[in-house]
Amino acid sequence: MSFNYHRIIIKIGSNVLTQPNGLPDLKRITHLVEQIAAIKKQGIEVVLVSSGAVASGRSLITVSEKFDAVAARQLLASIGQVKLINTYANLFEKHEMLCSQVLVTKEDFRDRLHYLNIKNCLDLLLQHQVLPVVNENDVVSVTELMFTDNDELAGLIASMLNAQALIILTNVDGIYDGDPKLDTSKVIAEINNKGVDFSSFVSSDRSQFGRGGMITKTHMAQKVAQLGIAVHIGNGTKENILTDILEGKAPHTRFIPHKTASGKKKWIAHSETSATGIVEINAGAKAALNSSKATSLLPVGISKIKTDFKKGDIIKLVDEHNALVGLGIAEYGAEKAKERLGQKNQKALVHYDYLYLQ
Ligand SMILES: Nc1ncnc2c1ncn2[C@@H]1O[C@H](COP(=O)(O)OP(=O)(O)O)[C@@H](O)[C@H]1O
Ligand SMILES: N[C@@H](CCC(=O)OP(=O)(O)O)C(=O)O
């Protein structure tokens, strides 16, 4: 089955771009650029989220063991990003294409204003037929402010730009139903329903240079597919993988997209770290919100206002075990919410249109 997209996000992991010795694999990067150029020539808009700065840095400098991991990553990424982006610029120039560098940190998405600032810039680049090459800026983003990895960043970009698909290239054929190293394990071709428990067959093992692992990939892929964006996970080391995935020829894992969510819901879905308030909802409200009927969060379903928040803030909805149920925009502040706690016939605290369910 081939796919007819007009805007896609392509994420390439470190292990696809590097040889086993950690040096950049120029032959493979060249082949991937050829494929991306061919896709762009079909009129498909592409944003590339590329790891590999740290890996490129390793090919240029040796870091003494005495430096901690954060400092080493900053040093390697600062040096390596120059080499990485220059490699892309020179290779795309051969196809008469212009690429650009977009380095971001999680902080750049902290509120709607900053989020829209990045969105506007990426939209402008695409309008000018430029290929944005996005990467997390490891030089300035420190541990607590970092994305888990570029999979998370790629999922955010796909949602922000209302892409039809996110293609994630890693060093295995897709998500296996067991340990990928075992012959008995098979690639799962399609994943449809949210809430699949991947922990029974996705291990926390990461590839040699990967940062997030398959667990972060699957969680991000489920969230993005739930927002209405198809997610394809395939093997970036295979010949013609990108064009073959689009033509439905390559074995890989596809997360089937659900109903397309609004732009606002997509933003809310990626705003957990900027949430200020936390409200605990009761079992009845949890069941109602997760039913097929569009339901707002009413005060009658709230059991506790756990933290302060203002009207318009992003708030977390948690259950009695403090597990995240969803995120939403508060229609009024915590004080008013406390006054209305448990009451019937009161205005919704979170309207359905501004509610994202995990
Ligand atoms: N069930 C699974 N299916 C596929 N890969 C898995 C699974 N469980 C763990 N993995 C590991 O996840 C790795 C890919 O994730 P990661 O290291 O983050 O790569 P990348 O650099 O592409 O982001 C694979 O190399 C594999 O070792
Ligand atoms: N900004 C980092 C990204 C690291 C990362 O997410 O790696 P991976 O898990 O291989 O996609 C770099 O360029 O090395």
Side-chain angles (χ1 to χ4, degrees), residues 229-268:
I229 298 167
V231 180
H232 302 261
I233 299 178
N235 192 330
T237 66
K238 283 194 162 171
E239 285 292 291
N240 302 318
I241 184 63
L242 283 170
T243 44
D244 282 357
I245 283 177
L246 292 177
E247 289 163 21
K249 291 182 199 160
H252 71 286
T253 297
R254 178 169 81 102
F255 286 74
I256 296 172
H258 297 220
K259 181 171 161 294
T260 300
S262 69
K264 201 79 173 267
K265 280 201 182 211
K266 287 174 180 170
W267 167 61
I268 294 167

Side-chain angles (χ1 to χ4, degrees), residues 173-193:
D173 286 355
I175 299 175
Y176 284 74
D177 56 9
D179 183 338
K181 299 183 196 71
L182 300 177
D183 292 344
T184 50
S185 300
K186 299 274 177 293
V187 175
I188 303 170
E190 285 192 344
I191 292 171
N192 193 2
N193 49 336

Side-chain angles (χ1 to χ4, degrees), residues 11 13-15 50-54 135-136 138 149-150 209-212:
K11 184 265 176 174
S14 312
N15 294 281
S50 177
S51 302
V54 172
N135 192 3
E136 179 168 23
D138 296 76
D149 61 8
N150 270 350
F209 302 110
R211 186 155 86 192

Side-chain angles (χ1 to χ4, degrees), residues 11 13-15 151 169-172 174-176 178 180 201-203 205-207 210 212-214 217:
K11 184 265 176 174
S14 312
N15 294 281
D151 296 317
L169 296 183
T170 183
N171 64 341
V172 287
I175 299 175
Y176 284 74
F201 52 88
V202 175
S203 75
D205 291 353
R206 280 179 298 174
S207 47
M214 197 50 86
K217 267 181 209 9

